[in-house]
Amino acid sequence: MEQVQLKENVLSLLEDKIKLIRKDMEAIYLVGPIKLPVNLYGETIEFKWYSWLKTENVTDDFQQVIHQLSSAKLAEFQQSSVLVYGDFEYNEDALIRMHSICHTGDIFGSKRCDCGFQLKQSMKMIVEHGTGALFYLANHEGRGIGLFSKAMAYILQENGYDTVEANEGLGFADDTRNYDDAIEVLKALRSKPVTLITNNPKKLKALKNAGAPLAGRTPLWGDISEYNEKYLKTKVKKSGHLE
Ligand SMILES: [Zn+2]
């Protein structure tokens, strides 16, 4: 491959902020921490932000990695990231949330689900706890079916399907989410056990089985309305969520 020299100090500014996580034949490049002041319920809170990219190009020549960015069309794909608060590496007790992206709930504030509320509320819980991390998993839209399919699933739901039946009606397994990359990133940021914010004991078990250092679970409910009542009940009835 042709080596193109990066401009003056670009590499030296970035190389200490990039971490190569090797995984089988693939690489996860983790970049950060980056200072991110966030408006959380009207208060400015400073988080440390990281993003990551998984590719089959495994190299610790970061000049090559950076050089390939401009032709990789990354905006056409989703990248995940993590917001870290406090002394995440060393504090004994940390909370984490594995938050699945929800375009409608997180961005538009849709009341059809409780995702937007859970996103903000878990950030608040992490800050109040003193240490933790919120993983924002960008390839998890609609429990892994993607945004376009989710629009179709919503049409089925408007016609009597519940959220599980709708995914299955489109030919998907109910839940196709995978946490492997996020777990690798978690392990790169912290080796001590963490407490998972979730209402879903199955998620705790799945993450534990995949090798995440989990100590326990703490629940997160709220923002129940006429618009998401049925959705939340289905989560309890069909997806094993605890009330
Ligand atoms: Zn949602």
Side-chain angles (χ1 to χ4, degrees):
M1 168 160 304
E2 162 203 23
Q3 270 298 354
V4 176
Q5 208 60 34
L6 291 168
K7 210 175 169 183
E8 287 163 27
N9 59 349
V10 168
L11 182 64
S12 67
L13 288 173
L14 292 175
E15 60 186 350
D16 293 340
K17 297 264 191 169
I18 304 174
K19 187 175 178 139
L20 165 63
I21 305 169
R22 288 173 195 270
K23 208 195 150 207
D24 306 321
M25 301 298 283
E26 294 176 308
I28 296 170
Y29 297 99
L30 178 67
V31 63
I34 298 134
K35 270 190 212 169
L36 202 72
V38 168
N39 179 348
L40 190 60
Y41 297 112
E43 231 190 296
T44 304
I45 308 284
E46 195 169 292
F47 286 88
K48 282 166 275 182
W49 180 60
Y50 300 75
S51 184
W52 71 85
L53 179 70
K54 185 158 108 173
T55 86
E56 287 171 4
N57 175 26
V58 187
T59 174
D60 47 21
D61 177 2
F62 294 149
Q63 173 146 313
Q64 195 205 109
V65 174
I66 296 163
H67 177 62
Q68 287 171 352
L69 291 178
S70 59
S71 59
K73 293 195 164 80
L74 291 184
E76 301 291 333
F77 308 96
Q78 300 269 28
Q79 286 94 54
S80 294
S81 77
V82 56
L83 277 181
V84 171
Y85 185 77
D87 186 2
F88 190 60
E89 186 174 1
Y90 294 109
N91 204 304
E92 280 306 316
D93 196 20
L95 283 182
I96 66 158
R97 166 90 184 153
M98 292 283 179
H99 189 86
S100 297
I101 187 174
C102 179
H103 190 112
T104 45
D106 298 339
I107 299 172
F108 297 143
S110 160
K111 305 279 281 177
R112 288 185 71 135
C113 55
D114 56 347
C115 304
F117 169 81
Q118 287 191 322
L119 174 65
K120 277 292 168 81
Q121 194 62 26
S122 51
M123 286 164 70
K124 187 167 175 253
M125 286 169 75
I126 287 165
V127 170
E128 282 171 357
H129 184 76
T131 320
L134 175 108
F135 290 79
Y136 194 79
L137 305 172
N139 56 347
H140 279 191
E141 184 68 59
R143 292 199 300 284
I145 72 174
L147 189 60
F148 185 74
S149 313
K150 178 175 163 180
M152 293 197 183
Y154 271 5
I155 294 172
L156 296 182
Q157 287 175 39
E158 285 177 355
N159 290 280
Y161 284 63
D162 71 32
T163 176
V164 172
E165 289 164 351
N167 280 15
E168 287 171 353
L170 293 171
F172 294 98
D174 169 46
D175 194 335
T176 61
R177 291 175 291 188
N178 179 296
Y179 297 93
D180 291 354
D181 297 347
I183 291 171
E184 291 306 315
V185 171
L186 168 62
K187 287 177 178 169
L189 295 173
R190 174 184 169 92
S191 53
K192 294 171 192 280
V194 289
T195 299
L196 182 69
I197 303 171
T198 184
N199 296 323
N200 188 354
K202 276 195 211 160
K203 191 161 163 184
L204 182 76
K205 210 173 156 208
L207 283 162
K208 264 189 181 169
N209 289 343
L214 291 177
R217 179 182 79 84
T218 189
L220 169 60
W221 288 109
D223 196 36
I224 296 162
S225 71
E226 59 184 297
Y227 308 105
N228 63 19
E229 207 176 359
K230 188 177 171 211
Y231 163 83
L232 295 173
K233 278 200 177 123
T234 303
K235 272 185 165 182
V236 171
K237 223 165 61 193
K238 289 199 171 171
S239 306
H241 289 223
L242 297 178
E243 267 180 291

Coordinates of all heavy atoms in Angstrom, one line a residue, residues 51-136:
S51 N -15.1 6.6 20.7 CA -15.8 5.9 19.6 C -15.0 4.8 19.1 O -13.7 4.8 19.3 CB -16.2 6.9 18.5 OG -16.9 6.2 17.5
W52 N -15.6 3.8 18.5 CA -14.8 2.7 18.0 C -15.2 2.2 16.6 O -16.3 2.5 16.2 CB -14.7 1.5 19.0 CG -16.0 0.7 19.2 CD1 -16.4 -0.3 18.4 CD2 -17.0 0.8 20.2 NE1 -17.5 -0.9 18.9 CE2 -17.9 -0.2 20.0 CE3 -17.1 1.7 21.3 CZ2 -19.0 -0.3 20.8 CZ3 -18.2 1.5 22.1 CH2 -19.2 0.6 21.8
L53 N -14.3 1.6 16.0 CA -14.5 1.1 14.6 C -13.9 -0.3 14.5 O -12.8 -0.5 14.9 CB -13.8 2.0 13.6 CG -13.9 1.7 12.1 CD1 -15.3 1.9 11.6 CD2 -12.9 2.5 11.3
K54 N -14.7 -1.2 14.0 CA -14.2 -2.6 13.8 C -13.9 -2.8 12.3 O -14.7 -2.5 11.5 CB -15.2 -3.6 14.3 CG -14.6 -5.0 14.2 CD -15.3 -6.0 15.1 CE -16.2 -6.9 14.3 NZ -16.8 -7.9 15.2
T55 N -12.7 -3.3 12.0 CA -12.4 -3.6 10.6 C -11.6 -4.9 10.5 O -11.1 -5.4 11.6 CB -11.6 -2.5 9.9 OG1 -10.2 -2.7 10.2 CG2 -12.0 -1.1 10.4
E56 N -11.5 -5.4 9.3 CA -10.6 -6.6 9.1 C -9.2 -6.2 8.9 O -8.3 -7.0 8.8 CB -11.1 -7.4 7.9 CG -12.4 -8.1 8.3 CD -13.1 -8.7 7.1 OE1 -12.6 -8.7 6.0 OE2 -14.3 -9.2 7.4
N57 N -8.9 -4.9 8.8 CA -7.6 -4.4 8.6 C -6.9 -4.2 10.0 O -7.1 -3.3 10.7 CB -7.6 -3.0 7.9 CG -6.3 -2.4 7.7 OD1 -5.3 -3.1 7.7 ND2 -6.3 -1.1 7.7
V58 N -6.1 -5.2 10.3 CA -5.5 -5.2 11.7 C -4.0 -4.7 11.5 O -3.2 -5.4 11.0 CB -5.4 -6.7 12.3 CG1 -4.9 -6.6 13.7 CG2 -6.8 -7.3 12.2
T59 N -3.8 -3.5 12.1 CA -2.4 -3.0 12.0 C -2.2 -2.0 13.2 O -3.2 -1.3 13.6 CB -2.2 -2.2 10.7 OG1 -0.9 -1.6 10.7 CG2 -3.2 -1.2 10.4
D60 N -1.0 -1.9 13.7 CA -0.8 -0.9 14.6 C -0.1 0.3 14.0 O 0.4 1.2 14.6 CB 0.0 -1.4 15.9 CG 1.2 -2.2 15.5 OD1 1.6 -2.1 14.3 OD2 1.6 -3.0 16.4
D61 N -0.1 0.3 12.6 CA 0.4 1.5 11.9 C -0.8 2.5 11.8 O -1.6 2.4 10.8 CB 0.9 1.1 10.5 CG 1.3 2.2 9.6 OD1 1.2 3.4 10.1 OD2 1.6 2.0 8.5
F62 N -1.0 3.3 12.8 CA -2.1 4.2 12.8 C -2.1 5.2 11.7 O -3.2 5.8 11.3 CB -2.2 4.9 14.2 CG -2.5 3.9 15.3 CD1 -2.0 4.1 16.6 CD2 -3.2 2.7 15.1 CE1 -2.3 3.2 17.6 CE2 -3.5 1.8 16.1 CZ -3.0 2.1 17.4
Q63 N -1.0 5.5 11.1 CA -0.9 6.4 10.0 C -1.8 5.8 8.8 O -2.5 6.5 8.2 CB 0.5 6.6 9.6 CG 0.6 7.4 8.3 CD 1.9 8.3 8.2 OE1 2.2 9.0 9.2 NE2 2.6 8.2 7.2
Q64 N -1.6 4.5 8.6 CA -2.4 3.9 7.6 C -3.9 3.9 7.9 O -4.7 4.1 7.0 CB -1.9 2.4 7.5 CG -2.3 1.7 6.2 CD -2.4 0.2 6.4 OE1 -3.4 -0.4 6.5 NE2 -1.2 -0.4 6.6
V65 N -4.2 3.6 9.2 CA -5.6 3.7 9.6 C -6.2 5.0 9.3 O -7.3 5.2 8.8 CB -5.7 3.3 11.1 CG1 -7.2 3.4 11.6 CG2 -5.2 1.9 11.4
I66 N -5.5 6.1 9.7 CA -6.1 7.4 9.6 C -6.2 7.8 8.1 O -7.2 8.4 7.6 CB -5.1 8.5 10.3 CG1 -5.1 8.2 11.8 CG2 -5.6 9.9 10.0 CD1 -4.0 8.9 12.5
H67 N -5.2 7.4 7.3 CA -5.2 7.7 5.9 C -6.4 7.1 5.2 O -6.9 7.7 4.2 CB -3.9 7.1 5.3 CG -3.8 7.3 3.8 ND1 -3.8 8.6 3.2 CD2 -3.7 6.5 2.8 CE1 -3.8 8.5 1.9 NE2 -3.7 7.2 1.6
Q68 N -6.9 5.9 5.6 CA -8.0 5.3 5.0 C -9.3 5.9 5.3 O -10.3 5.6 4.6 CB -8.0 3.8 5.3 CG -6.8 3.0 4.6 CD -6.7 1.6 5.1 OE1 -7.3 1.2 6.1 NE2 -5.8 0.8 4.5
L69 N -9.4 6.7 6.3 CA -10.7 7.2 6.7 C -11.4 8.0 5.7 O -12.6 7.8 5.5 CB -10.5 8.2 8.0 CG -10.1 7.5 9.3 CD1 -9.9 8.5 10.3 CD2 -11.1 6.5 9.7
S70 N -10.7 8.8 4.9 CA -11.4 9.8 4.0 C -12.0 9.0 2.8 O -12.9 9.6 2.2 CB -10.4 10.8 3.5 OG -9.3 10.2 2.8
S71 N -11.6 7.8 2.6 CA -12.3 7.1 1.5 C -13.2 6.0 2.0 O -13.8 5.2 1.2 CB -11.2 6.5 0.5 OG -10.4 5.6 1.3
A72 N -13.3 5.8 3.3 CA -14.1 4.7 3.8 C -15.6 5.0 3.9 O -16.4 4.0 4.2 CB -13.6 4.3 5.2
K73 N -16.0 6.2 3.6 CA -17.5 6.5 3.6 C -18.1 6.1 5.0 O -19.2 5.4 5.0 CB -18.2 5.8 2.5 CG -17.8 6.4 1.1 CD -18.9 6.0 0.1 CE -18.8 6.8 -1.2 NZ -17.8 6.4 -2.1
L74 N -17.5 6.4 6.1 CA -18.0 5.9 7.3 C -19.4 6.4 7.7 O -20.1 5.8 8.5 CB -17.0 6.2 8.5 CG -15.7 5.4 8.4 CD1 -14.8 5.7 9.6 CD2 -16.0 3.9 8.4
A75 N -19.7 7.6 7.2 CA -21.0 8.2 7.5 C -22.1 7.4 6.9 O -23.3 7.5 7.3 CB -21.1 9.6 7.0
E76 N -21.8 6.5 5.9 CA -22.9 5.6 5.4 C -23.2 4.4 6.3 O -24.1 3.7 6.1 CB -22.4 5.0 4.1 CG -22.1 6.0 3.0 CD -23.3 6.8 2.5 OE1 -24.4 6.2 2.5 OE2 -23.2 7.9 2.1
F77 N -22.3 4.2 7.3 CA -22.5 3.1 8.3 C -22.6 3.7 9.7 O -22.4 4.9 9.9 CB -21.3 2.2 8.2 CG -21.0 1.7 6.8 CD1 -20.0 2.3 6.1 CD2 -21.7 0.7 6.2 CE1 -19.7 1.9 4.8 CE2 -21.4 0.3 4.9 CZ -20.4 0.9 4.2
Q78 N -23.0 2.9 10.6 CA -23.1 3.3 12.0 C -21.8 3.0 12.8 O -21.3 1.9 12.6 CB -24.3 2.6 12.6 CG -25.6 2.8 11.9 CD -26.3 4.0 12.5 OE1 -25.7 4.9 13.0 NE2 -27.7 3.9 12.4
Q79 N -21.4 3.9 13.6 CA -20.3 3.6 14.5 C -20.9 3.8 16.0 O -21.7 4.7 16.2 CB -19.1 4.5 14.3 CG -18.3 4.1 13.1 CD -18.7 4.9 11.9 OE1 -18.7 6.2 11.9 NE2 -19.1 4.3 10.8
S80 N -20.4 2.9 16.8 CA -20.9 3.0 18.2 C -19.9 3.9 19.1 O -18.8 4.2 18.6 CB -21.0 1.6 18.8 OG -22.0 0.9 18.2
S81 N -20.4 4.2 20.3 CA -19.5 5.0 21.1 C -19.8 4.7 22.6 O -20.8 4.1 22.9 CB -19.5 6.5 20.8 OG -20.7 7.1 21.2
V82 N -19.0 5.3 23.5 CA -19.3 5.1 24.9 C -18.9 6.4 25.6 O -18.0 7.1 25.3 CB -18.4 3.9 25.5 CG1 -16.9 4.1 25.2 CG2 -18.7 3.8 27.0
L83 N -19.8 6.8 26.5 CA -19.7 7.9 27.4 C -19.2 7.4 28.8 O -19.9 6.6 29.4 CB -21.0 8.7 27.6 CG -21.5 9.7 26.6 CD1 -22.8 10.2 27.1 CD2 -20.5 10.8 26.4
V84 N -18.1 7.9 29.2 CA -17.5 7.4 30.5 C -17.6 8.5 31.5 O -17.3 9.7 31.2 CB -16.0 6.9 30.3 CG1 -15.4 6.7 31.6 CG2 -16.0 5.7 29.4
Y85 N -17.9 8.2 32.7 CA -18.0 9.2 33.8 C -17.1 8.8 35.0 O -17.2 7.6 35.4 CB -19.4 9.5 34.2 CG -19.5 10.6 35.2 CD1 -19.4 11.9 34.8 CD2 -19.7 10.3 36.6 CE1 -19.5 13.0 35.7 CE2 -19.8 11.4 37.5 CZ -19.7 12.7 37.0 OH -19.7 13.7 37.9
G86 N -16.4 9.7 35.5 CA -15.6 9.4 36.8 C -14.4 8.6 36.5 O -13.9 8.4 35.3
D87 N -13.8 8.0 37.6 CA -12.6 7.2 37.5 C -13.0 5.7 37.1 O -13.0 4.8 38.0 CB -11.9 7.2 38.8 CG -10.5 6.5 38.7 OD1 -10.2 6.0 37.6 OD2 -9.8 6.4 39.7
F88 N -13.4 5.5 35.8 CA -14.0 4.3 35.4 C -13.0 3.1 35.5 O -13.3 2.0 35.8 CB -14.5 4.4 34.0 CG -15.3 3.3 33.5 CD1 -16.5 2.9 34.2 CD2 -15.0 2.5 32.4 CE1 -17.3 1.8 33.8 CE2 -15.7 1.4 32.0 CZ -16.9 1.1 32.7
E89 N -11.7 3.4 35.3 CA -10.7 2.3 35.3 C -10.5 1.7 36.7 O -10.4 0.5 36.8 CB -9.4 2.8 34.7 CG -8.4 1.7 34.5 CD -7.1 2.2 33.8 OE1 -7.0 3.4 33.5 OE2 -6.2 1.3 33.6
Y90 N -10.4 2.6 37.7 CA -10.0 2.2 39.0 C -11.0 2.1 40.1 O -10.9 1.4 41.1 CB -8.8 3.0 39.5 CG -7.6 2.8 38.6 CD1 -7.2 3.9 37.7 CD2 -6.9 1.6 38.6 CE1 -6.1 3.7 36.9 CE2 -5.8 1.4 37.8 CZ -5.4 2.5 36.9 OH -4.3 2.3 36.1
N91 N -12.1 2.9 39.9 CA -13.1 2.9 41.0 C -13.7 1.5 41.2 O -14.0 0.7 40.2 CB -14.3 3.8 40.6 CG -15.0 4.3 41.9 OD1 -15.5 3.5 42.7 ND2 -15.0 5.6 42.1
E92 N -13.9 1.1 42.5 CA -14.3 -0.3 42.8 C -15.7 -0.6 42.2 O -15.9 -1.7 41.8 CB -14.4 -0.5 44.3 CG -13.0 -0.7 45.0 CD -12.3 -1.9 44.3 OE1 -12.9 -3.0 44.1 OE2 -11.1 -1.8 44.1
D93 N -16.6 0.4 42.2 CA -18.0 0.1 41.9 C -18.4 1.0 40.8 O -18.5 2.2 40.9 CB -18.7 0.5 43.2 CG -20.1 -0.1 43.2 OD1 -20.3 -1.1 42.5 OD2 -20.9 0.4 44.0
A94 N -18.8 0.4 39.6 CA -19.2 1.3 38.5 C -20.5 0.7 37.9 O -20.7 -0.5 37.9 CB -18.1 1.3 37.4
L95 N -21.3 1.6 37.4 CA -22.5 1.3 36.7 C -22.3 1.3 35.2 O -21.7 2.3 34.7 CB -23.6 2.3 37.0 CG -24.3 2.2 38.4 CD1 -25.4 3.3 38.4 CD2 -25.0 0.9 38.6
I96 N -22.9 0.4 34.4 CA -22.8 0.5 33.0 C -24.2 0.3 32.4 O -25.1 -0.4 33.0 CB -21.8 -0.4 32.3 CG1 -22.3 -1.9 32.4 CG2 -20.4 -0.2 32.7 CD1 -21.7 -2.7 31.3
R97 N -24.4 1.0 31.3 CA -25.7 0.7 30.5 C -25.3 0.4 29.1 O -24.4 1.1 28.5 CB -26.5 2.0 30.5 CG -27.6 2.0 29.5 CD -28.9 1.5 30.1 NE -30.0 1.4 29.1 CZ -31.0 0.5 29.1 NH1 -31.0 -0.4 30.1 NH2 -31.9 0.5 28.2
M98 N -25.8 -0.7 28.6 CA -25.6 -1.0 27.2 C -26.9 -0.6 26.4 O -27.9 -1.3 26.5 CB -25.5 -2.6 27.0 CG -24.2 -3.1 27.6 SD -22.8 -2.8 26.5 CE -21.4 -3.5 27.4
H99 N -26.8 0.6 25.9 CA -28.0 1.2 25.3 C -28.1 1.0 23.8 O -27.2 1.4 23.1 CB -28.0 2.7 25.6 CG -29.3 3.4 25.2 ND1 -30.4 3.4 26.1 CD2 -29.7 4.0 24.1 CE1 -31.4 4.1 25.5 NE2 -31.0 4.4 24.3
S100 N -29.2 0.4 23.4 CA -29.4 0.1 22.0 C -29.9 1.4 21.3 O -30.9 2.0 21.8 CB -30.3 -1.0 21.8 OG -29.8 -2.2 22.3
I101 N -29.3 1.8 20.2 CA -29.7 3.0 19.5 C -31.2 2.9 19.2 O -31.8 1.9 18.9 CB -29.0 3.2 18.2 CG1 -29.3 4.5 17.5 CG2 -29.3 2.0 17.2 CD1 -28.4 4.8 16.3
C102 N -31.9 4.1 19.4 CA -33.3 4.2 19.0 C -33.5 5.6 18.4 O -33.6 6.6 19.1 CB -34.2 4.0 20.2 SG -35.9 4.1 19.8
H103 N -33.4 5.6 17.1 CA -33.6 6.8 16.3 C -34.8 7.6 16.7 O -34.8 8.8 17.0 CB -33.6 6.4 14.8 CG -33.4 7.6 13.9 ND1 -32.4 7.8 13.1 CD2 -34.3 8.6 13.6 CE1 -32.5 8.8 12.3 NE2 -33.7 9.4 12.6
T104 N -36.0 6.9 16.7 CA -37.2 7.5 17.0 C -37.3 8.0 18.5 O -37.8 9.1 18.8 CB -38.4 6.6 16.7 OG1 -38.1 5.3 17.2 CG2 -38.6 6.5 15.2
G105 N -36.8 7.1 19.4 CA -37.0 7.5 20.8 C -35.9 8.4 21.3 O -36.2 9.4 22.0
D106 N -34.6 8.1 21.0 CA -33.5 8.9 21.5 C -33.5 10.3 20.8 O -33.2 11.3 21.5 CB -32.2 8.2 21.2 CG -32.1 6.9 21.9 OD1 -32.8 6.7 22.9 OD2 -31.2 6.1 21.5
I107 N -33.7 10.4 19.5 CA -33.5 11.6 18.8 C -34.8 12.4 18.7 O -34.9 13.6 19.1 CB -33.0 11.4 17.4 CG1 -31.6 10.7 17.5 CG2 -32.9 12.7 16.6 CD1 -31.1 10.2 16.1
F108 N -35.9 11.8 18.3 CA -37.2 12.5 18.2 C -38.0 12.6 19.5 O -39.0 13.3 19.6 CB -38.0 11.8 17.1 CG -37.4 11.8 15.7 CD1 -37.6 10.8 14.9 CD2 -36.7 12.9 15.3 CE1 -37.0 10.8 13.6 CE2 -36.1 12.9 14.0 CZ -36.3 11.8 13.2
G109 N -37.6 11.8 20.5 CA -38.4 11.7 21.7 C -39.7 11.0 21.6 O -40.7 11.3 22.3
S110 N -39.8 10.0 20.7 CA -41.0 9.2 20.5 C -41.4 8.6 21.8 O -40.6 8.1 22.6 CB -40.7 8.1 19.5 OG -41.7 7.1 19.6
K111 N -42.7 8.6 22.0 CA -43.3 8.0 23.2 C -43.8 6.5 22.9 O -44.4 5.9 23.8 CB -44.5 8.8 23.6 CG -44.3 10.3 23.8 CD -43.7 10.6 25.2 CE -44.7 10.6 26.3 NZ -44.1 10.8 27.6
R112 N -43.5 6.0 21.8 CA -43.9 4.6 21.5 C -43.0 3.6 22.3 O -43.3 2.5 22.3 CB -43.7 4.3 20.0 CG -44.8 5.0 19.2 CD -44.7 4.6 17.7 NE -45.1 3.2 17.5 CZ -45.9 2.8 16.5 NH1 -46.4 3.7 15.7 NH2 -46.2 1.5 16.4
C113 N -41.9 4.1 22.7 CA -41.0 3.2 23.6 C -40.5 4.0 24.7 O -40.8 5.2 24.8 CB -39.9 2.7 22.7 SG -38.9 3.9 21.9
D114 N -39.6 3.4 25.5 CA -39.1 4.2 26.7 C -37.6 4.5 26.5 O -36.9 4.8 27.5 CB -39.4 3.4 28.0 CG -38.8 2.0 28.0 OD1 -38.5 1.5 26.9 OD2 -38.8 1.4 29.1
C115 N -37.1 4.3 25.3 CA -35.6 4.4 25.1 C -35.1 5.8 25.4 O -34.0 5.9 26.1 CB -35.3 4.1 23.6 SG -35.9 2.5 23.1
G116 N -35.7 6.9 25.0 CA -35.2 8.2 25.2 C -35.1 8.5 26.7 O -34.1 9.0 27.2
F117 N -36.1 8.1 27.4 CA -36.1 8.2 28.9 C -35.0 7.4 29.5 O -34.2 7.9 30.3 CB -37.5 7.8 29.4 CG -37.5 7.7 30.9 CD1 -37.6 8.8 31.8 CD2 -37.3 6.4 31.5 CE1 -37.6 8.7 33.1 CE2 -37.3 6.3 32.9 CZ -37.4 7.4 33.7
Q118 N -34.9 6.2 29.0 CA -33.8 5.3 29.6 C -32.4 5.8 29.3 O -31.6 5.7 30.2 CB -34.0 3.9 29.0 CG -35.2 3.1 29.6 CD -35.1 1.7 29.2 OE1 -34.7 1.3 28.1 NE2 -35.6 0.8 30.1
L119 N -32.3 6.4 28.2 CA -30.9 7.0 27.8 C -30.5 8.0 28.8 O -29.5 8.0 29.4 CB -31.0 7.5 26.4 CG -29.8 8.3 25.9 CD1 -28.6 7.3 25.8 CD2 -30.0 8.9 24.5
K120 N -31.4 9.1 28.9 CA -31.1 10.2 29.8 C -31.0 9.7 31.3 O -30.2 10.2 32.0 CB -32.2 11.3 29.7 CG -31.9 12.2 28.5 CD -30.6 13.0 28.7 CE -30.1 13.8 27.5 NZ -30.7 15.0 27.2
Q121 N -32.0 8.9 31.7 CA -32.0 8.4 33.0 C -30.8 7.6 33.4 O -30.3 7.7 34.5 CB -33.3 7.6 33.3 CG -33.7 7.4 34.7 CD -34.0 8.7 35.5 OE1 -34.3 9.7 34.9 NE2 -33.7 8.7 36.8
S122 N -30.3 6.8 32.5 CA -29.1 6.0 32.9 C -27.9 6.9 32.9 O -27.0 6.6 33.8 CB -29.0 4.8 31.9 OG -29.0 5.2 30.6
M123 N -27.8 7.9 32.1 CA -26.7 8.9 32.3 C -26.8 9.5 33.6 O -25.7 9.7 34.3 CB -26.8 9.9 31.2 CG -26.4 9.4 29.8 SD -26.9 10.5 28.4 CE -25.8 11.9 28.7
K124 N -28.0 9.9 34.1 CA -28.2 10.5 35.4 C -27.8 9.5 36.5 O -27.1 9.9 37.5 CB -29.6 10.9 35.5 CG -29.9 11.7 36.8 CD -31.3 12.4 36.6 CE -31.7 13.1 37.9 NZ -32.7 12.4 38.7
M125 N -28.2 8.3 36.4 CA -27.8 7.3 37.4 C -26.3 7.1 37.5 O -25.8 7.0 38.6 CB -28.5 5.9 37.0 CG -30.0 5.9 37.3 SD -30.7 4.4 36.5 CE -30.2 3.1 37.7
I126 N -25.7 7.1 36.3 CA -24.2 6.9 36.3 C -23.5 8.1 37.0 O -22.6 7.9 37.8 CB -23.7 6.8 34.9 CG1 -24.1 5.4 34.4 CG2 -22.2 7.0 34.7 CD1 -24.0 5.2 32.9
V127 N -24.0 9.3 36.7 CA -23.4 10.5 37.3 C -23.7 10.5 38.8 O -22.7 10.8 39.6 CB -24.0 11.8 36.7 CG1 -23.5 13.0 37.4 CG2 -23.5 11.9 35.2
E128 N -24.9 10.2 39.2 CA -25.2 10.2 40.7 C -24.4 9.1 41.4 O -24.0 9.2 42.6 CB -26.7 10.0 40.9 CG -27.4 11.3 40.6 CD -29.0 11.1 40.6 OE1 -29.4 10.0 40.8 OE2 -29.6 12.1 40.5
H129 N -24.1 8.0 40.7 CA -23.4 6.9 41.3 C -21.9 7.3 41.5 O -21.2 6.8 42.4 CB -23.5 5.7 40.4 CG -22.8 4.5 41.0 ND1 -23.4 3.7 42.0 CD2 -21.7 3.9 40.7 CE1 -22.6 2.7 42.3 NE2 -21.5 2.8 41.5
G130 N -21.4 8.2 40.6 CA -20.0 8.6 40.7 C -19.1 8.1 39.6 O -18.1 8.8 39.3
T131 N -19.4 6.9 39.1 CA -18.5 6.3 38.1 C -19.4 5.4 37.2 O -20.2 4.7 37.8 CB -17.4 5.4 38.7 OG1 -16.9 6.0 39.8 CG2 -16.4 5.1 37.7
G132 N -19.1 5.4 35.9 CA -19.8 4.4 35.1 C -19.6 4.7 33.6 O -18.8 5.6 33.3
A133 N -20.3 4.0 32.8 CA -20.2 4.2 31.3 C -21.5 3.8 30.6 O -22.2 2.9 31.0 CB -19.1 3.3 30.8
L134 N -21.8 4.6 29.7 CA -23.0 4.4 28.8 C -22.5 4.0 27.4 O -21.9 4.8 26.7 CB -23.9 5.6 28.7 CG -25.0 5.4 27.8 CD1 -26.3 5.3 28.6 CD2 -25.1 6.5 26.8
F135 N -22.7 2.8 27.0 CA -22.4 2.3 25.7 C -23.6 2.5 24.8 O -24.7 2.1 25.1 CB -22.0 0.8 25.7 CG -20.8 0.5 26.4 CD1 -20.7 0.5 27.8 CD2 -19.6 0.3 25.7 CE1 -19.5 0.2 28.5 CE2 -18.4 0.0 26.3 CZ -18.3 0.0 27.7
Y136 N -23.3 3.3 23.7 CA -24.4 3.6 22.8 C -24.2 2.8 21.5 O -23.3 3.0 20.7 CB -24.4 5.1 22.4 CG -25.7 5.5 21.7 CD1 -26.8 5.7 22.5 CD2 -25.7 5.6 20.3 CE1 -28.0 6.1 21.8 CE2 -26.9 6.0 19.7 CZ -28.0 6.2 20.5 OH -29.2 6.6 19.8

